[in-house]
Amino acid sequence: MTNDTKRVAIWGLGKHAINNIIPAIANSTYLELYGCHSRNQQIVKDCSIKWGCSSWDTTEDMLMDSNLDIIYLSTPPGLHYEQGMRVLQSDKHLWCEKPITLDFEQTKELVHCSEKRSLSLCEGLMYLYHPQFIRLKEYLDNKTLGKIKTIHCRFGAHWILSSATPGFRFNKKLGGSSLFDVGCYPLSIILALFPDEEINILDSEITKTDSDSVDLDGSVNLKIGSQINCFLEWAYNRAYRNDIDIWGEEGSLYADNIFSKKTNYKPQFLLRDLYGNQTKEVIESSNHFEKMLEHFFHSLNDKTKTDEERKRVINLSKLLEEIKFGRSKKQ
């Protein structure tokens, strides 16, 4: 560890935090796993012993710890706004699992608070930092496929409501929602690939069994700029899909596992030229959680990166809310 190392606590100890985020923090050159916190004291005890980190008896004790620089929030989405505001008001940087909140106004409040206190606010969309996405962005920026005409992107899995441990996904009060949980990925990739384009919703559909239930799946047709038709789908109740298909005037591209992937996975791009001739490009494997945390760290002293992240958070939250209510909402 160096003098520039930042101390991180993780708040919320579900499977994702334990299997992905904590090891990524522990392996970081720039971050120190300083502590962990959860309502489940046994998990806290097990975690602190395994990783040799601190823990706190209460949330207040954690927030008041002056040695702590960053809190990575990995609790259910329905708790993010209230807990995230407490983190920022304690003058800690807030790094948070997606979605930041389930409400656009609440997202804007968190962003405003982070600006006012000169703190970073980062959303955990890990795939954006994998070499696979970086290469995909290069293809489009370099116009390898010519003018893009259509994009299809899907993400979903067969999560079962009757599962013995469904977690937050089927609990509306905790923020269960296929739109906010998995739909945020295909929506975020479009915003990341076309940050300067106007994006309009042509049509959208969200499936719910009744007014009080969690939405199970959905789809949206977007118009990107004046020429690109974009079709996105997400679901809790489908066979697993996690891919993107881009069709241009001079070529096309397909990539599987564009969002979630294991550390040893070597992504491939399937490319076809103007005449349908096929080639493949293999991309290096990488731990995208470690890459994400490294980016977050370097943004701490980089106002441009910090502002870009806030803008990304706002834009995604706004688009999610527009689809949720089937209407536009001014910032």
Side-chain angles (χ1 to χ4, degrees):
M1 297 296 176
T2 69
N3 292 333
D4 296 328
T5 301
K6 299 297 182 182
R7 296 186 177 96
V8 185
I10 186 156
W11 185 355
L13 294 173
K15 290 182 179 179
H16 171 65
I18 291 172
N19 295 333
N20 298 315
I21 302 303
I22 289 178
I25 295 172
N27 289 336
S28 174
T29 305
Y30 311 99
L31 304 172
E32 175 189 347
L33 180 61
Y34 180 72
C36 57
H37 180 60
S38 170
R39 292 181 304 171
N40 189 318
Q41 291 303 307
Q42 185 57 54
I43 293 179
V44 170
K45 181 179 178 181
D46 293 342
C47 177
S48 61
I49 291 174
K50 178 177 179 179
W51 295 101
C53 64
S54 300
S55 63
W56 299 269
D57 292 333
T58 68
T59 300
E60 289 73 20
D61 290 340
M62 175 181 66
L63 295 174
M64 291 174 62
D65 192 327
S66 60
N67 292 317
L68 181 56
D69 301 303
I70 301 158
I71 293 180
Y72 192 103
L73 192 56
S74 189
T75 56
L79 307 178
H80 286 177
Y81 169 69
E82 184 272 332
Q83 293 175 341
M85 190 61 75
R86 293 181 70 185
V87 169
L88 293 171
Q89 290 174 345
S90 70
D91 286 321
K92 310 288 192 296
H93 297 286
L94 173 61
W95 298 354
C96 184
E97 277 303 317
K98 54 78 191 169
I100 289 286
T101 76
L102 304 168
D103 179 273
F104 183 50
E105 293 300 323
Q106 291 182 347
T107 297
K108 288 196 295 183
E109 288 182 30
L110 289 176
V111 168
H112 176 70
C113 186
S114 73
E115 289 176 322
K116 184 178 179 180
R117 293 175 175 269
S118 298
L119 296 166
S120 69
L121 174 67
C122 300
E123 188 170 22
L125 291 161
M126 69 293 180
Y127 77 92
L128 292 172
Y129 309 96
H130 195 284
Q132 181 189 29
F133 173 78
I134 294 170
R135 182 64 176 127
L136 174 63
K137 187 80 164 60
E138 288 176 353
Y139 279 126
L140 270 62
D141 290 345
N142 295 337
K143 303 188 184 305
T144 304
L145 308 178
K147 289 183 179 180
I148 305 302
K149 306 305 288 186
T150 59
I151 299 174
H152 288 80
C153 186
R154 292 150 292 210
F155 192 26
H158 191 56
W159 283 296
I160 303 172
L161 177 58
S162 60
S163 169
T165 56
F168 72 88
R169 286 192 168 93
F170 297 101
N171 186 322
K172 191 173 182 180
K173 291 182 179 180
L174 292 179
S177 163
S178 68
L179 169 62
F180 283 88
D181 183 26
V182 289
C184 68
Y185 283 100
L187 290 166
S188 67
I189 201 170
I190 297 304
L191 292 172
L193 290 173
F194 302 96
D196 300 320
E197 294 283 357
E198 181 180 358
I199 297 177
N200 292 301
I201 301 170
L202 301 182
D203 187 34
S204 64
E205 182 178 2
I206 295 177
T207 301
K208 298 175 68 174
T209 55
D210 59 65
S211 60
D212 295 323
S213 68
V214 168
D215 55 287
L216 300 177
D217 56 55
S219 61
V220 65
N221 178 198
L222 303 174
K223 176 69 78 171
I224 305 171
S226 60
Q227 65 177 17
I228 305 174
N229 282 309
C230 179
F231 304 90
L232 311 178
E233 294 181 274
W234 58 89
Y236 274 173
N237 55 355
R238 308 274 179 87
Y240 189 78
R241 293 295 295 266
N242 170 12
D243 56 15
I244 189 167
D245 194 337
I246 302 176
W247 195 2
E249 289 184 343
E250 299 176 20
S252 65
L253 172 155
Y254 174 81
D256 203 358
N257 296 314
I258 189 65
F259 302 119
S260 179
K261 44 192 157 275
K262 294 182 178 180
T263 298
N264 61 358
Y265 176 72
K266 291 186 177 182
Q268 291 186 6
F269 287 109
L270 177 60
L271 300 154
R272 290 188 174 90
D273 66 15
L274 182 64
Y275 306 102
N277 299 309
Q278 181 176 301
T279 58
K280 289 183 180 180
E281 181 181 359
V282 179
I283 305 299
E284 64 185 284
S285 58
S286 181
N287 185 316
H288 48 188
F289 297 107
E290 293 182 5
K291 294 287 188 182
M292 176 185 73
L293 293 173
E294 181 178 344
H295 178 87
F296 288 175
F297 171 82
H298 287 301
S299 73
L300 292 175
N301 296 314
D302 188 325
K303 187 177 185 301
T304 299
K305 288 183 178 179
T306 301
D307 289 343
E308 286 175 351
E309 182 63 18
R310 291 194 186 108
K311 182 179 178 181
R312 179 162 43 241
V313 166
I314 284 286
N315 289 342
L316 178 56
S317 182
K318 180 175 183 287
L319 185 55
L320 283 164
E321 183 138 318
E322 288 175 352
I323 293 170
K324 176 182 177 180
F325 291 108
R327 56 182 171 80
S328 296
K329 189 175 181 68
K330 293 183 179 180
Q331 294 187 23

